Amino acid sequence: SWDSSSAAQDANEIDLSETSDHLVDSLPLGNINVVYKETSAWAMTFVGPPFIFRFYQILFHRGLLHRDCVTKWPGGHCVATQDDIIVHTGQIRSDQSIIDDKVRSWLFQAIDPDNFYNSFMFTHNAKNEVWFCFPEVGQTYASLALIWDWKRNNIGFRDLVPTPFAAVGPIGDSFVTDFVWGD
């Protein structure tokens, strides 16, 4: 039950109003859950009754661009913020940009301002890559991907057929019939 008024349940309400930005998404990281807001991020750790969870801010002046713009990779989380692509370990102020000023400037001018909410991010573990897929100016759905290879610390780009989302997982032959796979 999510009923915080019931003494029989481990539930509580916490107001994260120290920052006035809105909640966007969350994603577990080790033994914490990272709660992303528009311009901040908070660690949520289980402490048990009576408070149930402890919250503390880990990202300051950096939040999440939109829902689904964060993914896990072996070093922590990779996050598309409103003006950067960063990684962090879940520790306070552990955030680091993975793109240089030139790429950052180009990228945030290339994202369609009316459809940025159709951006998303995923991890391609087999290739040691994180993909940030976004609609270019004039597009509704993701039409370009910024790809970060974390082993080589390289950035590349790939054109996409306009794509509303991506899902990671195995695909059996019974699901795909006349489709030609790219690499």
PDB file of all heavy atoms in Angstrom, residues 29 71-78 87-91 94 125 148 150:
ATOM      1  N   LEU A  29      20.220   2.865  -9.075  1.00  0.00           N
ATOM      2  CA  LEU A  29      21.664   2.833  -9.277  1.00  0.00           C
ATOM      3  C   LEU A  29      22.285   2.233  -8.025  1.00  0.00           C
ATOM      4  O   LEU A  29      22.348   2.885  -6.990  1.00  0.00           O
ATOM      5  CB  LEU A  29      22.210   4.240  -9.540  1.00  0.00           C
ATOM      6  CG  LEU A  29      23.726   4.384  -9.709  1.00  0.00           C
ATOM      7  CD1 LEU A  29      24.234   3.535 -10.868  1.00  0.00           C
ATOM      8  CD2 LEU A  29      24.099   5.841  -9.926  1.00  0.00           C
ATOM      9  N   THR A  71      20.082   6.480 -18.693  1.00  0.00           N
ATOM     10  CA  THR A  71      20.286   5.042 -18.821  1.00  0.00           C
ATOM     11  C   THR A  71      21.442   4.611 -17.926  1.00  0.00           C
ATOM     12  O   THR A  71      22.315   5.421 -17.591  1.00  0.00           O
ATOM     13  CB  THR A  71      20.544   4.646 -20.298  1.00  0.00           C
ATOM     14  OG1 THR A  71      20.493   3.233 -20.431  1.00  0.00           O
ATOM     15  CG2 THR A  71      21.879   5.172 -20.801  1.00  0.00           C
ATOM     16  N   LYS A  72      21.444   3.327 -17.551  1.00  0.00           N
ATOM     17  CA  LYS A  72      22.555   2.767 -16.781  1.00  0.00           C
ATOM     18  C   LYS A  72      23.664   2.356 -17.744  1.00  0.00           C
ATOM     19  O   LYS A  72      23.394   1.905 -18.853  1.00  0.00           O
ATOM     20  CB  LYS A  72      22.107   1.509 -16.030  1.00  0.00           C
ATOM     21  CG  LYS A  72      21.158   1.751 -14.916  1.00  0.00           C
ATOM     22  CD  LYS A  72      20.819   0.427 -14.260  1.00  0.00           C
ATOM     23  CE  LYS A  72      19.669   0.587 -13.308  1.00  0.00           C
ATOM     24  NZ  LYS A  72      19.285  -0.694 -12.709  1.00  0.00           N
ATOM     25  N   TRP A  73      24.878   2.512 -17.298  1.00  0.00           N
ATOM     26  CA  TRP A  73      26.049   1.970 -17.975  1.00  0.00           C
ATOM     27  C   TRP A  73      26.962   1.471 -16.861  1.00  0.00           C
ATOM     28  O   TRP A  73      26.691   1.741 -15.687  1.00  0.00           O
ATOM     29  CB  TRP A  73      26.685   3.016 -18.901  1.00  0.00           C
ATOM     30  CG  TRP A  73      27.364   4.155 -18.218  1.00  0.00           C
ATOM     31  CD1 TRP A  73      26.770   5.208 -17.580  1.00  0.00           C
ATOM     32  CD2 TRP A  73      28.765   4.340 -18.060  1.00  0.00           C
ATOM     33  NE1 TRP A  73      27.709   6.038 -17.060  1.00  0.00           N
ATOM     34  CE2 TRP A  73      28.955   5.528 -17.340  1.00  0.00           C
ATOM     35  CE3 TRP A  73      29.896   3.625 -18.465  1.00  0.00           C
ATOM     36  CZ2 TRP A  73      30.215   6.003 -17.003  1.00  0.00           C
ATOM     37  CZ3 TRP A  73      31.145   4.113 -18.141  1.00  0.00           C
ATOM     38  CH2 TRP A  73      31.295   5.283 -17.427  1.00  0.00           C
ATOM     39  N   PRO A  74      28.020   0.725 -17.144  1.00  0.00           N
ATOM     40  CA  PRO A  74      28.820   0.138 -16.064  1.00  0.00           C
ATOM     41  C   PRO A  74      29.405   1.128 -15.065  1.00  0.00           C
ATOM     42  O   PRO A  74      29.708   0.752 -13.932  1.00  0.00           O
ATOM     43  CB  PRO A  74      29.929  -0.608 -16.810  1.00  0.00           C
ATOM     44  CG  PRO A  74      29.312  -0.973 -18.105  1.00  0.00           C
ATOM     45  CD  PRO A  74      28.413   0.190 -18.462  1.00  0.00           C
ATOM     46  N   GLY A  75      29.535   2.399 -15.415  1.00  0.00           N
ATOM     47  CA  GLY A  75      30.095   3.387 -14.496  1.00  0.00           C
ATOM     48  C   GLY A  75      29.070   4.194 -13.730  1.00  0.00           C
ATOM     49  O   GLY A  75      29.419   5.088 -12.972  1.00  0.00           O
ATOM     50  N   GLY A  76      27.786   3.930 -13.922  1.00  0.00           N
ATOM     51  CA  GLY A  76      26.730   4.683 -13.229  1.00  0.00           C
ATOM     52  C   GLY A  76      25.579   4.993 -14.149  1.00  0.00           C
ATOM     53  O   GLY A  76      25.056   4.116 -14.820  1.00  0.00           O
ATOM     54  N   HIS A  77      25.177   6.249 -14.189  1.00  0.00           N
ATOM     55  CA  HIS A  77      24.115   6.710 -15.080  1.00  0.00           C
ATOM     56  C   HIS A  77      24.697   7.654 -16.118  1.00  0.00           C
ATOM     57  O   HIS A  77      25.605   8.428 -15.835  1.00  0.00           O
ATOM     58  CB  HIS A  77      23.038   7.473 -14.305  1.00  0.00           C
ATOM     59  CG  HIS A  77      22.083   6.598 -13.566  1.00  0.00           C
ATOM     60  ND1 HIS A  77      21.041   7.114 -12.835  1.00  0.00           N
ATOM     61  CD2 HIS A  77      21.992   5.254 -13.443  1.00  0.00           C
ATOM     62  CE1 HIS A  77      20.352   6.121 -12.288  1.00  0.00           C
ATOM     63  NE2 HIS A  77      20.926   4.987 -12.636  1.00  0.00           N
ATOM     64  N   CYS A  78      24.131   7.597 -17.316  1.00  0.00           N
ATOM     65  CA  CYS A  78      24.402   8.581 -18.361  1.00  0.00           C
ATOM     66  C   CYS A  78      23.101   9.355 -18.530  1.00  0.00           C
ATOM     67  O   CYS A  78      22.020   8.751 -18.635  1.00  0.00           O
ATOM     68  CB  CYS A  78      24.825   7.906 -19.654  1.00  0.00           C
ATOM     69  SG  CYS A  78      25.362   9.073 -20.925  1.00  0.00           S
ATOM     70  N   VAL A  87      27.698  11.946 -17.177  1.00  0.00           N
ATOM     71  CA  VAL A  87      27.681  10.688 -16.440  1.00  0.00           C
ATOM     72  C   VAL A  87      27.877  11.023 -14.969  1.00  0.00           C
ATOM     73  O   VAL A  87      28.454  12.065 -14.633  1.00  0.00           O
ATOM     74  CB  VAL A  87      28.772   9.708 -16.926  1.00  0.00           C
ATOM     75  CG1 VAL A  87      28.469   9.228 -18.329  1.00  0.00           C
ATOM     76  CG2 VAL A  87      30.154  10.321 -16.851  1.00  0.00           C
ATOM     77  N   HIS A  88      27.374  10.146 -14.105  1.00  0.00           N
ATOM     78  CA  HIS A  88      27.623  10.294 -12.672  1.00  0.00           C
ATOM     79  C   HIS A  88      27.529   8.931 -12.009  1.00  0.00           C
ATOM     80  O   HIS A  88      26.975   7.986 -12.562  1.00  0.00           O
ATOM     81  CB  HIS A  88      26.667  11.306 -12.014  1.00  0.00           C
ATOM     82  CG  HIS A  88      25.258  10.831 -11.892  1.00  0.00           C
ATOM     83  ND1 HIS A  88      24.812  10.102 -10.808  1.00  0.00           N
ATOM     84  CD2 HIS A  88      24.195  10.978 -12.704  1.00  0.00           C
ATOM     85  CE1 HIS A  88      23.526   9.822 -10.961  1.00  0.00           C
ATOM     86  NE2 HIS A  88      23.126  10.340 -12.108  1.00  0.00           N
ATOM     87  N   THR A  89      28.112   8.840 -10.818  1.00  0.00           N
ATOM     88  CA  THR A  89      28.170   7.579 -10.081  1.00  0.00           C
ATOM     89  C   THR A  89      27.108   7.459  -8.997  1.00  0.00           C
ATOM     90  O   THR A  89      27.053   6.455  -8.308  1.00  0.00           O
ATOM     91  CB  THR A  89      29.545   7.417  -9.417  1.00  0.00           C
ATOM     92  OG1 THR A  89      29.717   8.474  -8.450  1.00  0.00           O
ATOM     93  CG2 THR A  89      30.674   7.436 -10.434  1.00  0.00           C
ATOM     94  N   GLY A  90      26.316   8.502  -8.814  1.00  0.00           N
ATOM     95  CA  GLY A  90      25.339   8.518  -7.733  1.00  0.00           C
ATOM     96  C   GLY A  90      25.863   9.234  -6.501  1.00  0.00           C
ATOM     97  O   GLY A  90      25.134   9.452  -5.545  1.00  0.00           O
ATOM     98  N   GLN A  91      27.128   9.602  -6.522  1.00  0.00           N
ATOM     99  CA  GLN A  91      27.726  10.352  -5.413  1.00  0.00           C
ATOM    100  C   GLN A  91      27.486  11.842  -5.630  1.00  0.00           C
ATOM    101  O   GLN A  91      27.343  12.303  -6.762  1.00  0.00           O
ATOM    102  CB  GLN A  91      29.229  10.079  -5.336  1.00  0.00           C
ATOM    103  CG  GLN A  91      29.570   8.620  -5.128  1.00  0.00           C
ATOM    104  CD  GLN A  91      29.035   8.088  -3.811  1.00  0.00           C
ATOM    105  OE1 GLN A  91      29.159   8.721  -2.769  1.00  0.00           O
ATOM    106  NE2 GLN A  91      28.410   6.928  -3.856  1.00  0.00           N
ATOM    107  N   SER A  94      29.407  14.090  -8.499  1.00  0.00           N
ATOM    108  CA  SER A  94      30.264  13.192  -9.291  1.00  0.00           C
ATOM    109  C   SER A  94      30.029  13.351 -10.786  1.00  0.00           C
ATOM    110  O   SER A  94      30.623  12.632 -11.584  1.00  0.00           O
ATOM    111  CB  SER A  94      30.008  11.731  -8.884  1.00  0.00           C
ATOM    112  OG  SER A  94      28.681  11.341  -9.212  1.00  0.00           O
ATOM    113  N   ASN A 125      25.053  -2.551 -24.412  1.00  0.00           N
ATOM    114  CA  ASN A 125      26.169  -3.136 -23.667  1.00  0.00           C
ATOM    115  C   ASN A 125      27.122  -3.937 -24.548  1.00  0.00           C
ATOM    116  O   ASN A 125      28.335  -3.910 -24.334  1.00  0.00           O
ATOM    117  CB  ASN A 125      25.657  -4.013 -22.528  1.00  0.00           C
ATOM    118  CG  ASN A 125      25.201  -3.193 -21.351  1.00  0.00           C
ATOM    119  OD1 ASN A 125      25.922  -2.321 -20.875  1.00  0.00           O
ATOM    120  ND2 ASN A 125      24.002  -3.448 -20.882  1.00  0.00           N
ATOM    121  N   TRP A 148      27.953   7.385 -27.619  1.00  0.00           N
ATOM    122  CA  TRP A 148      29.159   7.462 -26.803  1.00  0.00           C
ATOM    123  C   TRP A 148      29.688   6.061 -26.578  1.00  0.00           C
ATOM    124  O   TRP A 148      28.990   5.216 -26.023  1.00  0.00           O
ATOM    125  CB  TRP A 148      28.857   8.140 -25.476  1.00  0.00           C
ATOM    126  CG  TRP A 148      30.007   8.154 -24.507  1.00  0.00           C
ATOM    127  CD1 TRP A 148      31.275   8.570 -24.745  1.00  0.00           C
ATOM    128  CD2 TRP A 148      29.967   7.732 -23.137  1.00  0.00           C
ATOM    129  NE1 TRP A 148      32.033   8.441 -23.611  1.00  0.00           N
ATOM    130  CE2 TRP A 148      31.259   7.934 -22.617  1.00  0.00           C
ATOM    131  CE3 TRP A 148      28.972   7.219 -22.315  1.00  0.00           C
ATOM    132  CZ2 TRP A 148      31.579   7.633 -21.291  1.00  0.00           C
ATOM    133  CZ3 TRP A 148      29.283   6.924 -21.004  1.00  0.00           C
ATOM    134  CH2 TRP A 148      30.565   7.129 -20.500  1.00  0.00           C
ATOM    135  N   TRP A 150      32.001   4.176 -24.380  1.00  0.00           N
ATOM    136  CA  TRP A 150      32.660   4.462 -23.114  1.00  0.00           C
ATOM    137  C   TRP A 150      34.018   3.775 -22.987  1.00  0.00           C
ATOM    138  O   TRP A 150      34.865   4.237 -22.230  1.00  0.00           O
ATOM    139  CB  TRP A 150      31.771   4.146 -21.915  1.00  0.00           C
ATOM    140  CG  TRP A 150      31.442   2.711 -21.683  1.00  0.00           C
ATOM    141  CD1 TRP A 150      32.271   1.746 -21.167  1.00  0.00           C
ATOM    142  CD2 TRP A 150      30.205   2.071 -21.927  1.00  0.00           C
ATOM    143  NE1 TRP A 150      31.612   0.558 -21.087  1.00  0.00           N
ATOM    144  CE2 TRP A 150      30.332   0.717 -21.543  1.00  0.00           C
ATOM    145  CE3 TRP A 150      28.986   2.493 -22.431  1.00  0.00           C
ATOM    146  CZ2 TRP A 150      29.300  -0.200 -21.640  1.00  0.00           C
ATOM    147  CZ3 TRP A 150      27.961   1.576 -22.527  1.00  0.00           C
ATOM    148  CH2 TRP A 150      28.118   0.247 -22.137  1.00  0.00           C
TER     149      TRP A 150
END
